[in-house]
Amino acid sequence: MAGSDLRSPPKHRVRIDEQLPLDHRLSNIYRIGAGLMGLVLIAFGILGLLDHVGFFDTGGDTVAGLNTNGTLSVLSLCVGALLFAGMVIGGNIASTLNMLLGIVFIISGFVNLALLDTGANFLAFQIQNVLFSFVVGVMLMFFGMYGRVSATLPHDNPYWRARHPEQAERERHSRARGRHGRIGVG
């Protein structure tokens, strides 16, 4: 009996792929983030391919102030198309895709920073590309995590409700009582 008093309340795990209601306002933020970043990457990829740069050329061809080659242009087009697909799908898929690709961009920035002046720099990265990779990674992470990760989520947020099911249920009951009036014996 003494051991049961010391037990903490059961922990509820929140899965990152929990579904939001289809009309939830956070879905628009995830879509906008994926669409904007996808548009930037597709534009960069198209401009790089229009310059007819060699596929593995590391000669220093630039597009919009960033070094590029055919490989980086095609890779940018593919990632941009993936982000556009996330924008079309929306919801948690767009959010999760933004977060995952944000991590990939940040890791890519560090890896390419290490490869800058080596023969293994097959994407023709320069320091401005590394900085761009970091900025895009952080922006994608921001758009993906918005409304999902915070200590101050509003109580109507589905992620807050999933993390605090007992309190969410109490608040739901108190709102229901407020709408229907108190029923009781006086």
Side-chain angles (χ1 to χ4, degrees), residues 11 13 29 45 49 58 60 62 78 94 110 119 122 135 138-139 153:
K11 301 277 185 198
R13 295 186 62 199
I29 293 168
L49 289 177
T58 58
T62 61
C78 292
F110 282 116
F122 67 93
V135 169
V138 168
M139 289 179 69
L153 292 174

Side-chain angles (χ1 to χ4, degrees), residues 1 6 11 17 20-21 27 50 56-57 61 71 77 101 111 125 129-131 153 161 165 176 181-182 185:
M1 183 166 162
L6 300 176
K11 301 277 185 198
D17 63 347
L20 289 171
S27 183
L50 289 177
F56 291 104
D57 183 24
D61 293 308
T71 306
L77 284 171
L101 287 176
V111 167
F125 262 55
N129 296 78
V130 170
L131 295 174
L153 292 174
R161 288 193 312 260
R182 292 198 169 214
V185 178

Side-chain angles (χ1 to χ4, degrees), residues 18-55:
E18 289 183 63
Q19 291 301 310
L20 289 171
L22 291 177
D23 62 342
H24 199 279
R25 65 186 181 271
L26 289 175
S27 183
N28 291 332
I29 293 168
Y30 307 146
R31 286 175 185 257
I32 289 169
L36 286 175
M37 295 296 100
L39 181 65
V40 167
L41 292 172
I42 287 174
F44 176 75
I46 290 172
L47 291 174
L49 289 177
L50 289 177
D51 279 348
H52 300 291
V53 181
F55 213 69

Side-chain angles (χ1 to χ4, degrees), residues 101-147:
L101 287 176
I103 291 168
V104 168
F105 268 90
I106 291 171
I107 291 170
S108 168
F110 282 116
V111 167
N112 285 297
L113 181 62
L115 299 176
L116 276 182
D117 291 322
T118 68
N121 186 6
F122 67 93
L123 293 176
F125 262 55
Q126 295 295 323
I127 193 67
Q128 62 269 25
N129 296 78
V130 170
L131 295 174
F132 178 78
S133 187
F134 288 147
V135 169
V136 169
V138 168
M139 289 179 69
L140 283 170
M141 296 278 293
F142 170 79
F143 281 120
M145 290 182 176
Y146 187 85

